[in-house]
Amino acid sequence: NPAVEDFLTKAIQRVAPKSYAQALGEVRISRIFLENFSGDQVRFLARSFVVSGDHQGQSSAGHRWPFGPVALITPFNFPLEIPCLQLM
């Protein structure tokens, strides 16, 4: 949506010393990241692991579960792209 791209581009320009073209590029790259990884997240979150133990019948299993709300501290030079990558 061009209106959303424009809004995010102007928001990036308020917090980072970037031209409109640079900020728009960051918005578009972030959108591509999110589009590419949006289909893999269900498979990624459902992945678990099992490690065999030292003795017969002994094992350790781990599962990935989302934590819920999180906070990110990000660098000022990529205010949208780095948080997108960190959340994936």
Side-chain angles (χ1 to χ4, degrees):
N1 187 349
V4 174
E5 278 187 351
D6 185 58
F7 175 80
L8 290 173
T9 301
K10 289 179 180 175
I12 289 172
Q13 282 187 300
R14 286 188 210 120
V15 299
K18 290 188 173 197
S19 68
Y20 187 86
Q22 289 173 324
L24 182 60
E26 182 177 347
V27 170
R28 289 181 176 166
I29 290 294
S30 299
R31 187 193 77 221
I32 291 169
F33 283 150
L34 294 173
E35 286 174 354
N36 285 338
F37 288 101
S38 63
D40 281 343
Q41 291 305 319
V42 174
R43 183 171 49 96
F44 178 74
L45 289 174
R47 184 174 58 192
S48 63
F49 64 90
V50 176
V51 178
S52 60
D54 295 334
H55 306 289
Q56 182 151 349
Q58 188 181 40
S59 66
S60 175
H63 303 278
R64 290 181 169 261
W65 301 103
F67 288 116
V70 297
L72 295 173
I73 299 172
T74 63
F76 76 94
N77 56 347
F78 291 102
L80 182 64
E81 188 175 344
I82 300 298
C84 287
L85 289 173
Q86 292 297 317
L87 286 174
M88 290 189 274

